[in-house]
Amino acid sequence: MEIKKILPKVCMIGALTFSFSFAHAEDQYDAEHIADIFYQLAGDKNDPHKKVNHTKGFCTAGEFIPVKGITSKYDIPLLNEKSIPTEARFSLGGGNPHESDKSKSRGMALKIEGQSDSWEIVGLNTEINFAKNPEEFAKFFQARIPKDGKVDVENLKKVTNEILSFKNYEKYLSTIGVTPSVSNTTYNSVHTFYFKGKDGKLVPARFKFVPTAGNKNLSKKELEKLGDDFLEDDFKAKVAKKPIEYKMMLVLANKNDVTNDTTALWKGKHKEVWIATLRLKEYTGRDCNPEVFMPNMLPKGVEPPKDPLFDLRNDVYSITFGRRQ
């Protein structure tokens, strides 16, 4: 049902992307080429319908509850609704369906289906991305394509040291831990979106989903005791007792913050605005895993990012989804 709803939009986007790629056949950093890289990394010739990124995941259902009176600050009609049905998917980065839950690369995707509008969100547990443009995005994954069944570790180190974005991302990853639960993990937009204020002005902001249970990291000993598949079981056990909640916070950009570069880490104090609560009420299995969540499906009053990766990211999602049908 969900796929039938999304497919016409995806096919349309895919067709536009194909036309662009044909006109720029020499551009090795377009969406078609990057989709090819994902298939080189995680594709399976015996299973053409296999998902090639964020392959391991599970599904949940709940509601998105806008903060009362928030539309007095922001002209986003969707936020006038009291409770909006929401599907959520938690996943790990990469195309390995057996990836260890000890991975630091985690994602949360949402489909918020209101009566007046809808919103699809894709968040990561990192505040920044590893690449600032399509060329870096492609090279990051190209360096990880196995040759004769093995990743060239020395070349990977060389590429990481040569490209500042990669080097800074590795340094950033060393500062974050591994959480014991999705209910103890903050998920971030990474991109800067633009929110329409009541005065009509667009306010640049990133957003994050902060768990009400608090952020927690595992110690080295605690991590060693766990197996590779603890996140899904942990979620099922917790949500059976009570809903799992997050506060959706807008992090408003300061005057000198870089808003068109997803590798830029915002520093210092920022004004934050609580706009909604995400309340997840039940575990719903894995049936949502094949679905696609499109970050460019925005409600009225929210404008897309202006960085060079946002459109590319959506096009790659569209292409890989189309190839899986």
Side-chain angles (χ1 to χ4, degrees), residues 185-187 208-212 215 245-249:
T185 306
T186 293
Y187 293 91
K208 59 184 178 180
F209 287 83
V210 181
T212 58
N215 291 285
E245 295 187 348
Y246 301 81
K247 285 186 175 182
M248 184 181 180
M249 309 294 296

Side-chain angles (χ1 to χ4, degrees), residues 99-114:
E99 180 69 45
S100 173
D101 288 352
K102 297 177 183 180
S103 167
K104 286 188 177 182
S105 178
R106 298 183 182 177
M108 179 179 75
L110 305 175
K111 290 182 188 292
I112 303 166
E113 299 288 348

Side-chain angles (χ1 to χ4, degrees), residues 90-246:
F90 291 101
S91 63
L92 300 180
N96 180 5
H98 306 293
E99 180 69 45
S100 173
D101 288 352
K102 297 177 183 180
S103 167
K104 286 188 177 182
S105 178
R106 298 183 182 177
M108 179 179 75
L110 305 175
K111 290 182 188 292
I112 303 166
E113 299 288 348
Q115 295 179 348
S116 63
D117 211 339
S118 61
W119 194 353
E120 296 189 16
I121 290 172
V122 177
L124 301 174
N125 66 315
T126 56
E127 297 171 86
I128 58 172
N129 202 357
F130 49 81
K132 68 172 74 173
N133 55 48
E135 180 178 354
E136 289 186 352
F137 195 88
K139 288 182 176 179
F140 182 87
F141 290 108
Q142 281 176 324
R144 287 159 172 78
I145 296 174
K147 295 179 181 178
D148 299 322
K150 294 182 179 179
V151 175
D152 187 337
V153 177
E154 290 305 313
N155 180 62
L156 181 57
K157 288 181 180 177
K158 179 174 177 290
V159 171
T160 300
N161 285 325
E162 287 176 348
I163 299 178
L164 185 60
S165 296
F166 301 172
K167 195 172 183 178
N168 287 341
Y169 186 71
E170 287 293 312
K171 183 178 179 181
Y172 171 81
L173 285 182
S174 70
T175 68
I176 66 174
V178 176
T179 62
S181 171
V182 298
S183 66
N184 298 125
T185 306
T186 293
Y187 293 91
N188 306 276
S189 66
V190 179
H191 300 274
T192 302
F193 291 78
Y194 294 82
F195 297 81
K196 187 178 180 182
K198 291 301 289 186
D199 59 0
K201 294 180 180 179
L202 293 176
V203 180
R206 292 177 178 176
F207 57 80
K208 59 184 178 180
F209 287 83
V210 181
T212 58
N215 291 285
K216 297 178 184 176
N217 288 326
L218 290 163
S219 68
K220 186 177 180 181
K221 287 185 178 180
E222 289 172 331
L223 190 61
E224 289 172 351
K225 292 178 181 178
L226 291 173
D228 292 324
D229 302 292
F230 57 89
L231 289 176
E232 190 170 354
D233 289 340
D234 174 85
F235 181 87
K236 286 192 282 188
K238 283 186 168 64
V239 80
K241 296 177 181 178
K242 64 177 183 178
I244 290 171
E245 295 187 348
Y246 301 81

Side-chain angles (χ1 to χ4, degrees), residues 3 8-9 21 33 35 51 76 79-80 104 107 126 139 166 177 187 199 214 241 264 277 280 297:
I3 289 177
K9 299 175 184 176
S21 300
H33 177 73
K51 194 171 184 179
I76 303 171
L79 300 183
N80 279 312
K104 286 188 177 182
T126 56
K139 288 182 176 179
F166 301 172
Y187 293 91
D199 59 0
K241 296 177 181 178
T277 294
L280 302 177
M297 301 299 291

